[in-house]
């Protein structure tokens, strides 16, 4: 079952503006990841944030995590036309052993950057 | 180049036929996964395998079958029992036993039932 829900489902902004998308989940997590998917392609890992972290940066990406609200946000600063893609959050449940290693993906935000 | 390959890129199937989607990786990853993606939707897990000769059902395994005879290969068969198989299928792999499960994806196979 889908655990993550992204908001908004679709977002269109002008090039150069910042884009923010949110992810909510339902159960405890070990970590949360964000992936990007260009149209008709596979997903590419962008950034990971652990459950004991609150904020993480990578280049123009900033991810926050609020475990009390079971939510995360992905901020892309100074957007470019090449950022046009769908963005998915994925959660990894806590595990006491190395079994049952699987991710649960959200429904995605479709981001369009207008040149 | 290391990576994951999926073939074919496009596949057309007549109703009642079984078809097999190929997934191969040369990343030396133990774990492999199959997902289904419908238009405008997220990924739903079909099957996953953490080690050769072992696999587990995901959330939507009905109408699908897999095998894991080799570490590099994880083929998915879409059987005639799958009532609505038209979708985009993604294969992924990851290193097993790490603190986090970063997955590497293939380019996908788009299956259309005629």
């Amino acid at each position: 079952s889908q655990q993550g829900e992204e908001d908004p489902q679709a977002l269109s902004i002008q090039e150069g503006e910042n884009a923010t998308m949110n992810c909510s989940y339902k159960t405890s997590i070990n970590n949360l990841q964000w992936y990007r998917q260009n149209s008709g392609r596979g997903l590419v890992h962008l950034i990971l944030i652990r459950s004991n972290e609150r904020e993480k940066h990578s280049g123009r990406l900033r991810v926050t995590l609020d475990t009390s609200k079971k939510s995360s946000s992905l901020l892309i600063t100074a957007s470019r036309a090449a950022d046009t893609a769908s963005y998915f959050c994925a959660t990894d449940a806590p595990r006491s052993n190395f079994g049952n290693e699987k991710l649960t993906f959200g429904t995605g935000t479709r981001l369009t950057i207008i040149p | 180049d290391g990576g994951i390959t999926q073939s074919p890129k496009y596949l057309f199937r007549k109703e009642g036929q079984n078809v097999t989607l190929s997934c191969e990786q040369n990343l030396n990853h133990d774990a492999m996964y199959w997902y289904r993606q419908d238009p405008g939707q997220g990924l739903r897990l079909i099957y996953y395998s953490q080690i050769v000769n072992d696999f587990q059902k995901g959330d939507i395994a009905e109408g699908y079958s897999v095998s894991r005879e080799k570490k590099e290969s994880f083929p998915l068969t879409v059987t005639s029992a799958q009532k609505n198989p038209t979708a985009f299928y993604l294969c992924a792999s990851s290193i097993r036993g790490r603190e986090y499960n970063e997955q590497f994806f293939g380019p996908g196979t788009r299956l259309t039932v005629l």
Side-chain angles (χ1 to χ4, degrees):
Chain A
S1 61
Q2 293 287 335
Q3 174 171 242
E5 295 289 335
E6 266 104 333
D7 169 52
Q9 289 188 334
L11 177 63
S12 293
I13 60 173
Q14 295 287 333
E15 191 169 20
E17 293 181 341
N18 296 343
T20 300
M21 52 207 89
N22 305 294
C23 166
S24 60
Y25 57 91
K26 297 177 183 175
T27 60
S28 297
I29 62 170
N30 187 41
N31 58 68
L32 186 144
Q33 303 175 49
W34 284 90
Y35 287 79
R36 166 195 170 122
Q37 183 183 32
N38 284 19
S39 181
R41 308 291 293 273
L43 277 69
V44 175
H45 179 264
L46 292 176
I47 192 167
L48 175 147
I49 187 165
R50 293 178 173 81
S51 59
N52 60 356
E53 296 176 317
R54 292 297 167 257
E55 187 171 313
K56 200 161 185 181
H57 297 254
S58 176
R60 293 185 296 113
L61 304 180
R62 172 178 170 253
V63 172
T64 62
L65 179 65
D66 187 335
T67 53
S68 66
K69 295 181 179 179
K70 292 187 170 56
S71 68
S72 173
S73 67
L74 173 67
L75 168 67
I76 303 174
T77 60
S79 63
R80 305 168 182 169
D83 294 329
T84 293
S86 292
Y87 293 82
F88 295 89
C89 66
T91 53
D92 187 357
R95 53 187 184 268
S96 58
N97 54 46
F98 292 136
N100 198 29
E101 295 180 10
K102 57 180 182 176
L103 297 178
T104 302
F105 285 84
T107 52
T109 293
R110 188 168 63 254
L111 175 65
T112 302
I113 308 299
I114 303 166
Chain B
D1 287 339
I4 303 179
T5 58
Q6 291 185 241
S7 62
K9 186 172 183 178
Y10 298 97
L11 186 57
F12 298 91
R13 188 193 96 172
K14 293 182 180 179
E15 285 192 20
Q17 282 184 335
N18 292 356
V19 289
T20 298
L21 283 58
S22 169
C23 177
E24 303 276 333
Q25 54 98 1
N26 61 4
L27 300 168
N28 199 33
H29 287 172
D30 287 305
M32 297 186 74
Y33 310 81
W34 273 106
Y35 295 93
R36 169 182 172 138
Q37 186 177 33
D38 292 284
Q41 300 297 313
L43 278 65
R44 292 186 289 169
L45 183 64
I46 304 173
Y47 268 99
Y48 64 107
S49 168
Q50 296 181 51
I51 197 167
V52 174
N53 292 323
D54 186 50
F55 49 82
Q56 289 82 40
K57 293 182 179 179
D59 299 318
I60 55 165
E62 185 175 352
Y64 300 96
S65 66
V66 293
S67 62
R68 187 82 188 278
E69 297 176 1
K70 298 186 299 182
K71 187 176 185 177
E72 314 82 62
S73 178
F74 191 40
L76 173 74
T77 297
V78 184
T79 74
S80 57
Q82 170 51 234
K83 298 305 179 188
N84 185 22
T86 294
F88 188 52
Y89 291 87
L90 287 161
C91 179
S93 71
S94 67
I95 297 172
R96 186 166 176 255
R98 295 174 80 179
E99 177 191 354
Y100 55 91
N101 183 1
E102 177 185 344
Q103 294 188 3
F104 295 79
F105 283 80
T109 292
R110 188 167 300 280
L111 173 63
T112 303
V113 174
L114 303 173

